[in-house]
Amino acid sequence: SDEREVLTYELFGTAARELAQQVADDGFEPDLVLSIARGGLFLGGALGYALDVKNLFVMNVEFYTGVDERLDLPVVLPPTLDAVDLTGANVLVADDVADTGKTLELVRDFCAGYVSDVRTAVVYEKPRSVVSCDYVWKRTDRWIDFPWSSLPPVRTRSTRPPH
Ligand code: 5GP
């Protein structure tokens, strides 16, 4: 379909509450929420409030090298998560969308060696995803416009070397 899937901030609020309810109804009690930056930060924060979890972590994952070229596989960017934070924990991974699913696959496999239980929550899951997420609000095969990235940045940044 050439129609886009449009998520508004209003609808996102509903989606986050419904996802939290799925997690609660499932009896899963996460010790921490791990957001995949940047798109997963919104859902991770909302799930933290809705599930009364204050332990929030972030993992930076990119599909881009920074020279405008897409990689074959996503890579973890620094700062990397300390394994100590994850050991023995029930982890809820939050992201905006499982498209190819490769990002979530990477994060899940990264966690799997340390954690007690790792589960994934996404607003959207596409049919081609290699990961079948535990908690999904909506399934679509369309391109999604998220409210936080539908407008361009308010200004263009000059190129700075990575730090
Ligand atoms: P993956 O292919 O690894 O599942 O998705 C990687 C990232 O690409 C997602 O977290 C998201 O930021 C971005 N992405 C994938 N599909 C879409 C889409 O339909 N719309 C938007 N705005 N971003 C997407």
Side-chain angles (χ1 to χ4, degrees), residues 2-134:
D2 44 65
E3 282 280 300
R4 288 188 178 194
E5 184 81 37
V6 176
L7 185 70
T8 61
Y9 275 114
E10 180 81 27
L11 204 49
F12 167 72
T14 302
R17 289 296 297 192
E18 289 181 6
L19 277 169
Q21 195 64 58
Q22 283 187 36
V23 175
D25 291 349
D26 202 29
F28 184 54
E29 294 189 6
D31 300 300
L32 61 93
V33 175
L34 175 57
S35 294
I36 306 177
R38 291 172 291 177
L41 282 165
F42 301 89
L43 182 61
L47 289 175
Y49 275 107
L51 294 167
D52 197 24
V53 175
K54 293 176 179 172
N55 242 344
L56 306 183
F57 291 84
V58 180
M59 219 170 138
N60 292 287
V61 182
E62 278 281 10
F63 243 135
Y64 294 87
T65 53
V67 285
D68 227 27
E69 256 174 344
R70 212 184 165 98
L71 304 171
D72 293 334
L73 291 168
V75 292
V76 178
L77 299 180
T80 42
L81 201 57
D82 193 330
V84 174
D85 297 331
L86 298 177
T87 302
N90 285 336
V91 176
L92 183 61
V93 177
D95 207 356
D96 50 1
V97 50
D99 185 332
T100 65
K102 297 228 172 123
T103 302
L104 276 163
E105 184 181 50
L106 175 85
V107 174
R108 200 187 53 183
D109 293 351
F110 174 90
C111 292
Y114 311 105
V115 306
S116 166
D117 195 353
V118 54
R119 301 195 191 176
T120 50
V122 291
V123 184
Y124 294 99
E125 185 178 279
K126 298 193 182 178
R128 66 173 172 171
S129 175
V130 295
V131 166
S132 179
C133 295
D134 299 285

Side-chain angles (χ1 to χ4, degrees), residues 148-162:
W148 42 84
S149 55
S150 59
L151 294 172
V154 295
R155 56 101 179 83
T156 309
R157 299 188 68 194
S158 54
T159 309
R160 300 175 69 202

